Amino acid sequence: MEREESALAQAGEFGFIARLTDRLAQGPGVLLGPGDDAAVITAGDRRVVASTDMLVEGRHFRRDWSSGLDVGHKAAAANLADIAAMGGRGTALLVGMCVPDDLPLGWAEDLADGLAAEAAKVDASVVGGDTVSGPTLTISVTALGELQGRAPVTRDHARPGDVLAVAGRLGWAAAGTTILSRGFRSPGALVSAHRRPQVPYPAGPVAAVLGATAMIDVSDGLLADLGHISARSQVAVDVDRAALEIPDQMRDAGHALGVDPYQWALAGGEDHALVATFPPGTELGPEWRVIGRVEAGTGVTVDGLGYAGQPGWDHGRS
């Protein structure tokens, strides 16, 4: 059977870029979109929040598990969550792609649609990027955002006595990854969480308004990411295991696969929940639920004890 011509070869580099950018609507904050040497976007309070992340096929996603639309959503979510974790709102995405010879043009167009759809959730736009041919499908996204006049919420101001709270889901994506790796495709809600994170974007700015003292998105695992707050703020953080929400389908999946579902919730990443610390007595809205506390000392514990397992994903390990 004759091999299908690659996306780049089929359309040519500039035709490939045009096929993707033609699918990308530009929001009101974009003064100049794709098509020139650089894009121009507004910066409401003269500050720009910036973050970048990469997704590599075989490491962060698999095309036999996820569609181009799914991967577009996932790539955008991973970066826009970082903006929300600073208390900001995403405004624009820049996307770079390394395109292998076996990538169909339709898959790339679906990727563009997914990126645009996820960005639209926060009224952001995909404003430009670059492509190159290479052996491994790699998607690099840079997100830009605004603070809307507020100070950024960093990782280094948590204080003993603060409450620890989370917005969003924990363990769903990790459970979905385990299910797929075992050759199954259900429960569908957990598998979908691996494919497309449900990021609580509005909770980031809300936390900033409420006076959050530190915040981070859960990309590598709750305990691993809390370790960054602990180290930067020079405090101890304790998680109340009983406060973590474990839905029935996750319990059932854990039982069927021989995995403690709390392992997914405590150490699983890629849900991009937001976890933050707040001064004691802060009246939290419905987006946030208390799951622990900040204490004097160092390190992260669960119910006052050290966690025996791996606390999350380590990008330095294969």
Side-chain angles (χ1 to χ4, degrees), residues 20 23-24 68-77 79-80 93-97 108-121 124-126 128 139-141:
L20 302 193
R23 310 174 80 86
L24 304 174
L69 195 66
D70 293 330
V71 176
H73 276 276
K74 187 171 186 173
N79 289 271
L80 292 169
L93 297 178
L94 297 164
V95 182
M97 288 181 63
E109 290 176 331
D110 288 344
L111 172 76
D113 289 344
L115 286 162
E118 189 68 27
K121 293 180 181 180
S125 304
V126 182
I139 302 152
S140 176
V141 180

PDB file of all heavy atoms in Angstrom, residues 20 23-24 68-77 79-80 93-97 108-121 124-126 128 139-141:
ATOM      1  N   LEU A  20      -3.408  25.759   8.955  1.00  0.00           N
ATOM      2  CA  LEU A  20      -3.696  25.781  10.393  1.00  0.00           C
ATOM      3  C   LEU A  20      -4.175  27.157  10.845  1.00  0.00           C
ATOM      4  O   LEU A  20      -5.166  27.273  11.573  1.00  0.00           O
ATOM      5  CB  LEU A  20      -2.454  25.367  11.188  1.00  0.00           C
ATOM      6  CG  LEU A  20      -1.862  23.991  10.883  1.00  0.00           C
ATOM      7  CD1 LEU A  20      -0.844  23.604  11.949  1.00  0.00           C
ATOM      8  CD2 LEU A  20      -2.931  22.912  10.774  1.00  0.00           C
ATOM      9  N   ARG A  23      -7.714  28.399  10.505  1.00  0.00           N
ATOM     10  CA  ARG A  23      -8.716  27.825  11.404  1.00  0.00           C
ATOM     11  C   ARG A  23      -8.765  28.567  12.742  1.00  0.00           C
ATOM     12  O   ARG A  23      -9.573  28.213  13.610  1.00  0.00           O
ATOM     13  CB  ARG A  23      -8.399  26.350  11.651  1.00  0.00           C
ATOM     14  CG  ARG A  23      -8.142  25.548  10.388  1.00  0.00           C
ATOM     15  CD  ARG A  23      -7.704  24.133  10.711  1.00  0.00           C
ATOM     16  NE  ARG A  23      -8.836  23.289  11.053  1.00  0.00           N
ATOM     17  CZ  ARG A  23      -9.589  22.638  10.176  1.00  0.00           C
ATOM     18  NH1 ARG A  23      -9.324  22.753   8.884  1.00  0.00           N
ATOM     19  NH2 ARG A  23     -10.589  21.881  10.562  1.00  0.00           N
ATOM     20  N   LEU A  24      -7.886  29.546  12.937  1.00  0.00           N
ATOM     21  CA  LEU A  24      -7.711  30.174  14.247  1.00  0.00           C
ATOM     22  C   LEU A  24      -8.350  31.558  14.288  1.00  0.00           C
ATOM     23  O   LEU A  24      -7.816  32.523  13.723  1.00  0.00           O
ATOM     24  CB  LEU A  24      -6.218  30.283  14.578  1.00  0.00           C
ATOM     25  CG  LEU A  24      -5.439  28.960  14.533  1.00  0.00           C
ATOM     26  CD1 LEU A  24      -3.955  29.215  14.721  1.00  0.00           C
ATOM     27  CD2 LEU A  24      -5.964  27.985  15.582  1.00  0.00           C
ATOM     28  N   GLY A  68      -6.046  14.316  17.342  1.00  0.00           N
ATOM     29  CA  GLY A  68      -5.415  15.616  17.237  1.00  0.00           C
ATOM     30  C   GLY A  68      -6.171  16.672  18.021  1.00  0.00           C
ATOM     31  O   GLY A  68      -5.572  17.554  18.650  1.00  0.00           O
ATOM     32  N   LEU A  69      -7.491  16.592  18.009  1.00  0.00           N
ATOM     33  CA  LEU A  69      -8.316  17.531  18.776  1.00  0.00           C
ATOM     34  C   LEU A  69      -8.004  17.416  20.265  1.00  0.00           C
ATOM     35  O   LEU A  69      -7.849  18.420  20.967  1.00  0.00           O
ATOM     36  CB  LEU A  69      -9.793  17.244  18.506  1.00  0.00           C
ATOM     37  CG  LEU A  69     -10.804  18.310  18.922  1.00  0.00           C
ATOM     38  CD1 LEU A  69     -10.626  19.580  18.107  1.00  0.00           C
ATOM     39  CD2 LEU A  69     -12.227  17.773  18.742  1.00  0.00           C
ATOM     40  N   ASP A  70      -7.902  16.165  20.764  1.00  0.00           N
ATOM     41  CA  ASP A  70      -7.574  15.945  22.174  1.00  0.00           C
ATOM     42  C   ASP A  70      -6.225  16.568  22.535  1.00  0.00           C
ATOM     43  O   ASP A  70      -6.091  17.263  23.550  1.00  0.00           O
ATOM     44  CB  ASP A  70      -7.505  14.442  22.490  1.00  0.00           C
ATOM     45  CG  ASP A  70      -8.829  13.729  22.388  1.00  0.00           C
ATOM     46  OD1 ASP A  70      -9.866  14.366  22.632  1.00  0.00           O
ATOM     47  OD2 ASP A  70      -8.823  12.526  22.063  1.00  0.00           O
ATOM     48  N   VAL A  71      -5.224  16.310  21.709  1.00  0.00           N
ATOM     49  CA  VAL A  71      -3.873  16.787  22.016  1.00  0.00           C
ATOM     50  C   VAL A  71      -3.816  18.309  21.965  1.00  0.00           C
ATOM     51  O   VAL A  71      -3.116  18.939  22.754  1.00  0.00           O
ATOM     52  CB  VAL A  71      -2.847  16.154  21.057  1.00  0.00           C
ATOM     53  CG1 VAL A  71      -1.445  16.713  21.306  1.00  0.00           C
ATOM     54  CG2 VAL A  71      -2.836  14.634  21.232  1.00  0.00           C
ATOM     55  N   GLY A  72      -4.596  18.919  21.063  1.00  0.00           N
ATOM     56  CA  GLY A  72      -4.665  20.372  21.035  1.00  0.00           C
ATOM     57  C   GLY A  72      -5.217  20.936  22.329  1.00  0.00           C
ATOM     58  O   GLY A  72      -4.669  21.892  22.893  1.00  0.00           O
ATOM     59  N   HIS A  73      -6.309  20.344  22.801  1.00  0.00           N
ATOM     60  CA  HIS A  73      -6.863  20.772  24.090  1.00  0.00           C
ATOM     61  C   HIS A  73      -5.830  20.605  25.208  1.00  0.00           C
ATOM     62  O   HIS A  73      -5.637  21.496  26.041  1.00  0.00           O
ATOM     63  CB  HIS A  73      -8.110  19.947  24.420  1.00  0.00           C
ATOM     64  CG  HIS A  73      -9.366  20.448  23.795  1.00  0.00           C
ATOM     65  ND1 HIS A  73     -10.135  21.443  24.348  1.00  0.00           N
ATOM     66  CD2 HIS A  73     -10.006  20.074  22.653  1.00  0.00           C
ATOM     67  CE1 HIS A  73     -11.191  21.677  23.592  1.00  0.00           C
ATOM     68  NE2 HIS A  73     -11.145  20.853  22.551  1.00  0.00           N
ATOM     69  N   LYS A  74      -5.167  19.451  25.224  1.00  0.00           N
ATOM     70  CA  LYS A  74      -4.220  19.143  26.301  1.00  0.00           C
ATOM     71  C   LYS A  74      -3.033  20.092  26.282  1.00  0.00           C
ATOM     72  O   LYS A  74      -2.591  20.572  27.340  1.00  0.00           O
ATOM     73  CB  LYS A  74      -3.750  17.691  26.154  1.00  0.00           C
ATOM     74  CG  LYS A  74      -2.895  17.181  27.290  1.00  0.00           C
ATOM     75  CD  LYS A  74      -2.673  15.681  27.151  1.00  0.00           C
ATOM     76  CE  LYS A  74      -1.943  15.111  28.351  1.00  0.00           C
ATOM     77  NZ  LYS A  74      -1.871  13.640  28.304  1.00  0.00           N
ATOM     78  N   ALA A  75      -2.493  20.373  25.103  1.00  0.00           N
ATOM     79  CA  ALA A  75      -1.330  21.251  25.001  1.00  0.00           C
ATOM     80  C   ALA A  75      -1.665  22.664  25.453  1.00  0.00           C
ATOM     81  O   ALA A  75      -0.875  23.312  26.160  1.00  0.00           O
ATOM     82  CB  ALA A  75      -0.811  21.255  23.568  1.00  0.00           C
ATOM     83  N   ALA A  76      -2.823  23.158  25.059  1.00  0.00           N
ATOM     84  CA  ALA A  76      -3.222  24.501  25.481  1.00  0.00           C
ATOM     85  C   ALA A  76      -3.499  24.550  26.971  1.00  0.00           C
ATOM     86  O   ALA A  76      -3.092  25.487  27.664  1.00  0.00           O
ATOM     87  CB  ALA A  76      -4.459  24.943  24.693  1.00  0.00           C
ATOM     88  N   ALA A  77      -4.171  23.519  27.483  1.00  0.00           N
ATOM     89  CA  ALA A  77      -4.533  23.501  28.901  1.00  0.00           C
ATOM     90  C   ALA A  77      -3.305  23.504  29.799  1.00  0.00           C
ATOM     91  O   ALA A  77      -3.273  24.192  30.834  1.00  0.00           O
ATOM     92  CB  ALA A  77      -5.394  22.276  29.204  1.00  0.00           C
ATOM     93  N   ASN A  79      -0.530  24.897  29.450  1.00  0.00           N
ATOM     94  CA  ASN A  79       0.082  26.217  29.523  1.00  0.00           C
ATOM     95  C   ASN A  79      -0.849  27.264  30.118  1.00  0.00           C
ATOM     96  O   ASN A  79      -0.422  28.098  30.915  1.00  0.00           O
ATOM     97  CB  ASN A  79       0.539  26.637  28.131  1.00  0.00           C
ATOM     98  CG  ASN A  79       1.737  25.840  27.662  1.00  0.00           C
ATOM     99  OD1 ASN A  79       2.861  26.206  27.913  1.00  0.00           O
ATOM    100  ND2 ASN A  79       1.479  24.724  27.002  1.00  0.00           N
ATOM    101  N   LEU A  80      -2.102  27.240  29.742  1.00  0.00           N
ATOM    102  CA  LEU A  80      -3.045  28.203  30.290  1.00  0.00           C
ATOM    103  C   LEU A  80      -3.256  27.991  31.781  1.00  0.00           C
ATOM    104  O   LEU A  80      -3.542  28.937  32.519  1.00  0.00           O
ATOM    105  CB  LEU A  80      -4.375  28.113  29.536  1.00  0.00           C
ATOM    106  CG  LEU A  80      -4.312  28.579  28.075  1.00  0.00           C
ATOM    107  CD1 LEU A  80      -5.603  28.208  27.347  1.00  0.00           C
ATOM    108  CD2 LEU A  80      -4.063  30.084  27.986  1.00  0.00           C
ATOM    109  N   LEU A  93      -1.564  32.347  22.729  1.00  0.00           N
ATOM    110  CA  LEU A  93      -0.700  31.180  22.652  1.00  0.00           C
ATOM    111  C   LEU A  93       0.166  31.273  21.400  1.00  0.00           C
ATOM    112  O   LEU A  93      -0.304  31.683  20.337  1.00  0.00           O
ATOM    113  CB  LEU A  93      -1.518  29.886  22.577  1.00  0.00           C
ATOM    114  CG  LEU A  93      -2.417  29.529  23.763  1.00  0.00           C
ATOM    115  CD1 LEU A  93      -3.179  28.241  23.457  1.00  0.00           C
ATOM    116  CD2 LEU A  93      -1.630  29.384  25.044  1.00  0.00           C
ATOM    117  N   LEU A  94       1.432  30.869  21.530  1.00  0.00           N
ATOM    118  CA  LEU A  94       2.342  30.688  20.403  1.00  0.00           C
ATOM    119  C   LEU A  94       2.698  29.210  20.350  1.00  0.00           C
ATOM    120  O   LEU A  94       3.023  28.614  21.386  1.00  0.00           O
ATOM    121  CB  LEU A  94       3.605  31.526  20.587  1.00  0.00           C
ATOM    122  CG  LEU A  94       3.391  33.042  20.625  1.00  0.00           C
ATOM    123  CD1 LEU A  94       4.617  33.733  21.208  1.00  0.00           C
ATOM    124  CD2 LEU A  94       3.111  33.563  19.225  1.00  0.00           C
ATOM    125  N   VAL A  95       2.641  28.607  19.176  1.00  0.00           N
ATOM    126  CA  VAL A  95       2.771  27.157  19.064  1.00  0.00           C
ATOM    127  C   VAL A  95       3.877  26.798  18.072  1.00  0.00           C
ATOM    128  O   VAL A  95       3.854  27.240  16.920  1.00  0.00           O
ATOM    129  CB  VAL A  95       1.445  26.513  18.600  1.00  0.00           C
ATOM    130  CG1 VAL A  95       1.588  24.998  18.536  1.00  0.00           C
ATOM    131  CG2 VAL A  95       0.306  26.909  19.535  1.00  0.00           C
ATOM    132  N   GLY A  96       4.832  26.001  18.533  1.00  0.00           N
ATOM    133  CA  GLY A  96       5.852  25.443  17.662  1.00  0.00           C
ATOM    134  C   GLY A  96       5.642  23.952  17.510  1.00  0.00           C
ATOM    135  O   GLY A  96       5.257  23.275  18.464  1.00  0.00           O
ATOM    136  N   MET A  97       5.880  23.418  16.311  1.00  0.00           N
ATOM    137  CA  MET A  97       5.659  21.993  16.060  1.00  0.00           C
ATOM    138  C   MET A  97       6.838  21.390  15.327  1.00  0.00           C
ATOM    139  O   MET A  97       7.339  21.964  14.351  1.00  0.00           O
ATOM    140  CB  MET A  97       4.397  21.772  15.208  1.00  0.00           C
ATOM    141  CG  MET A  97       3.089  22.023  15.911  1.00  0.00           C
ATOM    142  SD  MET A  97       1.694  21.690  14.782  1.00  0.00           S
ATOM    143  CE  MET A  97       1.919  19.922  14.476  1.00  0.00           C
ATOM    144  N   ALA A 108      -3.133  17.325  11.983  1.00  0.00           N
ATOM    145  CA  ALA A 108      -2.600  18.636  12.361  1.00  0.00           C
ATOM    146  C   ALA A 108      -3.698  19.694  12.395  1.00  0.00           C
ATOM    147  O   ALA A 108      -3.717  20.576  13.261  1.00  0.00           O
ATOM    148  CB  ALA A 108      -1.495  19.046  11.394  1.00  0.00           C
ATOM    149  N   GLU A 109      -4.633  19.623  11.453  1.00  0.00           N
ATOM    150  CA  GLU A 109      -5.747  20.573  11.450  1.00  0.00           C
ATOM    151  C   GLU A 109      -6.627  20.370  12.681  1.00  0.00           C
ATOM    152  O   GLU A 109      -7.093  21.342  13.296  1.00  0.00           O
ATOM    153  CB  GLU A 109      -6.558  20.406  10.171  1.00  0.00           C
ATOM    154  CG  GLU A 109      -5.819  20.875   8.926  1.00  0.00           C
ATOM    155  CD  GLU A 109      -6.598  20.624   7.654  1.00  0.00           C
ATOM    156  OE1 GLU A 109      -7.402  19.657   7.615  1.00  0.00           O
ATOM    157  OE2 GLU A 109      -6.407  21.387   6.698  1.00  0.00           O
ATOM    158  N   ASP A 110      -6.833  19.115  13.067  1.00  0.00           N
ATOM    159  CA  ASP A 110      -7.592  18.850  14.294  1.00  0.00           C
ATOM    160  C   ASP A 110      -6.853  19.400  15.512  1.00  0.00           C
ATOM    161  O   ASP A 110      -7.478  19.913  16.449  1.00  0.00           O
ATOM    162  CB  ASP A 110      -7.813  17.343  14.464  1.00  0.00           C
ATOM    163  CG  ASP A 110      -8.825  16.779  13.485  1.00  0.00           C
ATOM    164  OD1 ASP A 110      -9.576  17.569  12.875  1.00  0.00           O
ATOM    165  OD2 ASP A 110      -8.864  15.539  13.321  1.00  0.00           O
ATOM    166  N   LEU A 111      -5.535  19.279  15.517  1.00  0.00           N
ATOM    167  CA  LEU A 111      -4.734  19.835  16.606  1.00  0.00           C
ATOM    168  C   LEU A 111      -4.970  21.342  16.726  1.00  0.00           C
ATOM    169  O   LEU A 111      -5.188  21.868  17.825  1.00  0.00           O
ATOM    170  CB  LEU A 111      -3.254  19.560  16.366  1.00  0.00           C
ATOM    171  CG  LEU A 111      -2.272  20.239  17.325  1.00  0.00           C
ATOM    172  CD1 LEU A 111      -2.262  19.525  18.662  1.00  0.00           C
ATOM    173  CD2 LEU A 111      -0.866  20.277  16.735  1.00  0.00           C
ATOM    174  N   ALA A 112      -4.954  22.038  15.591  1.00  0.00           N
ATOM    175  CA  ALA A 112      -5.196  23.474  15.595  1.00  0.00           C
ATOM    176  C   ALA A 112      -6.583  23.791  16.150  1.00  0.00           C
ATOM    177  O   ALA A 112      -6.759  24.741  16.935  1.00  0.00           O
ATOM    178  CB  ALA A 112      -5.040  24.045  14.185  1.00  0.00           C
ATOM    179  N   ASP A 113      -7.573  22.993  15.766  1.00  0.00           N
ATOM    180  CA  ASP A 113      -8.929  23.210  16.276  1.00  0.00           C
ATOM    181  C   ASP A 113      -8.980  23.021  17.789  1.00  0.00           C
ATOM    182  O   ASP A 113      -9.660  23.777  18.504  1.00  0.00           O
ATOM    183  CB  ASP A 113      -9.902  22.245  15.608  1.00  0.00           C
ATOM    184  CG  ASP A 113     -10.149  22.575  14.143  1.00  0.00           C
ATOM    185  OD1 ASP A 113      -9.815  23.704  13.722  1.00  0.00           O
ATOM    186  OD2 ASP A 113     -10.665  21.702  13.425  1.00  0.00           O
ATOM    187  N   GLY A 114      -8.269  22.000  18.311  1.00  0.00           N
ATOM    188  CA  GLY A 114      -8.250  21.773  19.747  1.00  0.00           C
ATOM    189  C   GLY A 114      -7.565  22.894  20.507  1.00  0.00           C
ATOM    190  O   GLY A 114      -8.040  23.322  21.571  1.00  0.00           O
ATOM    191  N   LEU A 115      -6.445  23.373  19.976  1.00  0.00           N
ATOM    192  CA  LEU A 115      -5.747  24.502  20.597  1.00  0.00           C
ATOM    193  C   LEU A 115      -6.667  25.721  20.667  1.00  0.00           C
ATOM    194  O   LEU A 115      -6.771  26.384  21.713  1.00  0.00           O
ATOM    195  CB  LEU A 115      -4.493  24.844  19.790  1.00  0.00           C
ATOM    196  CG  LEU A 115      -3.309  23.894  19.897  1.00  0.00           C
ATOM    197  CD1 LEU A 115      -2.348  24.108  18.735  1.00  0.00           C
ATOM    198  CD2 LEU A 115      -2.581  24.095  21.231  1.00  0.00           C
ATOM    199  N   ALA A 116      -7.333  26.012  19.554  1.00  0.00           N
ATOM    200  CA  ALA A 116      -8.202  27.186  19.507  1.00  0.00           C
ATOM    201  C   ALA A 116      -9.392  27.041  20.447  1.00  0.00           C
ATOM    202  O   ALA A 116      -9.782  28.004  21.127  1.00  0.00           O
ATOM    203  CB  ALA A 116      -8.684  27.417  18.078  1.00  0.00           C
ATOM    204  N   ALA A 117      -9.977  25.849  20.512  1.00  0.00           N
ATOM    205  CA  ALA A 117     -11.145  25.641  21.355  1.00  0.00           C
ATOM    206  C   ALA A 117     -10.800  25.774  22.838  1.00  0.00           C
ATOM    207  O   ALA A 117     -11.563  26.351  23.616  1.00  0.00           O
ATOM    208  CB  ALA A 117     -11.752  24.265  21.077  1.00  0.00           C
ATOM    209  N   GLU A 118      -9.643  25.239  23.242  1.00  0.00           N
ATOM    210  CA  GLU A 118      -9.246  25.354  24.644  1.00  0.00           C
ATOM    211  C   GLU A 118      -8.915  26.805  24.987  1.00  0.00           C
ATOM    212  O   GLU A 118      -9.294  27.314  26.047  1.00  0.00           O
ATOM    213  CB  GLU A 118      -8.050  24.449  24.942  1.00  0.00           C
ATOM    214  CG  GLU A 118      -7.703  24.329  26.411  1.00  0.00           C
ATOM    215  CD  GLU A 118      -8.744  23.577  27.227  1.00  0.00           C
ATOM    216  OE1 GLU A 118      -9.456  22.723  26.660  1.00  0.00           O
ATOM    217  OE2 GLU A 118      -8.859  23.854  28.445  1.00  0.00           O
ATOM    218  N   ALA A 119      -8.207  27.487  24.085  1.00  0.00           N
ATOM    219  CA  ALA A 119      -7.869  28.890  24.319  1.00  0.00           C
ATOM    220  C   ALA A 119      -9.127  29.746  24.447  1.00  0.00           C
ATOM    221  O   ALA A 119      -9.174  30.690  25.255  1.00  0.00           O
ATOM    222  CB  ALA A 119      -6.984  29.405  23.190  1.00  0.00           C
ATOM    223  N   ALA A 120     -10.149  29.408  23.680  1.00  0.00           N
ATOM    224  CA  ALA A 120     -11.388  30.187  23.704  1.00  0.00           C
ATOM    225  C   ALA A 120     -12.078  30.137  25.063  1.00  0.00           C
ATOM    226  O   ALA A 120     -12.868  31.033  25.388  1.00  0.00           O
ATOM    227  CB  ALA A 120     -12.338  29.693  22.615  1.00  0.00           C
ATOM    228  N   LYS A 121     -11.770  29.127  25.862  1.00  0.00           N
ATOM    229  CA  LYS A 121     -12.396  29.030  27.190  1.00  0.00           C
ATOM    230  C   LYS A 121     -12.015  30.203  28.082  1.00  0.00           C
ATOM    231  O   LYS A 121     -12.729  30.528  29.030  1.00  0.00           O
ATOM    232  CB  LYS A 121     -12.004  27.707  27.863  1.00  0.00           C
ATOM    233  CG  LYS A 121     -12.565  26.485  27.175  1.00  0.00           C
ATOM    234  CD  LYS A 121     -12.139  25.205  27.886  1.00  0.00           C
ATOM    235  CE  LYS A 121     -12.680  23.963  27.195  1.00  0.00           C
ATOM    236  NZ  LYS A 121     -12.276  22.711  27.884  1.00  0.00           N
ATOM    237  N   ALA A 124      -8.741  33.552  24.942  1.00  0.00           N
ATOM    238  CA  ALA A 124      -7.398  33.712  24.395  1.00  0.00           C
ATOM    239  C   ALA A 124      -7.390  33.303  22.929  1.00  0.00           C
ATOM    240  O   ALA A 124      -8.342  32.699  22.425  1.00  0.00           O
ATOM    241  CB  ALA A 124      -6.401  32.869  25.185  1.00  0.00           C
ATOM    242  N   SER A 125      -6.306  33.624  22.235  1.00  0.00           N
ATOM    243  CA  SER A 125      -6.174  33.307  20.812  1.00  0.00           C
ATOM    244  C   SER A 125      -4.825  32.665  20.545  1.00  0.00           C
ATOM    245  O   SER A 125      -3.850  32.948  21.244  1.00  0.00           O
ATOM    246  CB  SER A 125      -6.275  34.591  19.965  1.00  0.00           C
ATOM    247  OG  SER A 125      -7.476  35.291  20.215  1.00  0.00           O
ATOM    248  N   VAL A 126      -4.762  31.811  19.530  1.00  0.00           N
ATOM    249  CA  VAL A 126      -3.489  31.300  19.029  1.00  0.00           C
ATOM    250  C   VAL A 126      -3.008  32.313  17.992  1.00  0.00           C
ATOM    251  O   VAL A 126      -3.631  32.489  16.958  1.00  0.00           O
ATOM    252  CB  VAL A 126      -3.639  29.910  18.397  1.00  0.00           C
ATOM    253  CG1 VAL A 126      -2.282  29.388  17.929  1.00  0.00           C
ATOM    254  CG2 VAL A 126      -4.263  28.934  19.396  1.00  0.00           C
ATOM    255  N   GLY A 128       0.333  32.716  16.644  1.00  0.00           N
ATOM    256  CA  GLY A 128       1.468  32.452  15.770  1.00  0.00           C
ATOM    257  C   GLY A 128       2.243  31.237  16.211  1.00  0.00           C
ATOM    258  O   GLY A 128       1.837  30.521  17.127  1.00  0.00           O
ATOM    259  N   ILE A 139       5.167  19.255  20.339  1.00  0.00           N
ATOM    260  CA  ILE A 139       4.365  20.474  20.322  1.00  0.00           C
ATOM    261  C   ILE A 139       4.827  21.355  21.467  1.00  0.00           C
ATOM    262  O   ILE A 139       4.758  20.953  22.641  1.00  0.00           O
ATOM    263  CB  ILE A 139       2.867  20.154  20.467  1.00  0.00           C
ATOM    264  CG1 ILE A 139       2.425  19.215  19.336  1.00  0.00           C
ATOM    265  CG2 ILE A 139       2.030  21.418  20.460  1.00  0.00           C
ATOM    266  CD1 ILE A 139       1.262  18.340  19.696  1.00  0.00           C
ATOM    267  N   SER A 140       5.323  22.528  21.145  1.00  0.00           N
ATOM    268  CA  SER A 140       5.781  23.479  22.155  1.00  0.00           C
ATOM    269  C   SER A 140       4.836  24.670  22.165  1.00  0.00           C
ATOM    270  O   SER A 140       4.597  25.288  21.123  1.00  0.00           O
ATOM    271  CB  SER A 140       7.209  23.939  21.841  1.00  0.00           C
ATOM    272  OG  SER A 140       7.632  24.927  22.765  1.00  0.00           O
ATOM    273  N   VAL A 141       4.293  24.967  23.324  1.00  0.00           N
ATOM    274  CA  VAL A 141       3.328  26.060  23.447  1.00  0.00           C
ATOM    275  C   VAL A 141       3.847  27.082  24.450  1.00  0.00           C
ATOM    276  O   VAL A 141       4.278  26.718  25.548  1.00  0.00           O
ATOM    277  CB  VAL A 141       1.944  25.541  23.897  1.00  0.00           C
ATOM    278  CG1 VAL A 141       0.957  26.703  24.029  1.00  0.00           C
ATOM    279  CG2 VAL A 141       1.412  24.508  22.917  1.00  0.00           C
TER     280      VAL A 141
END
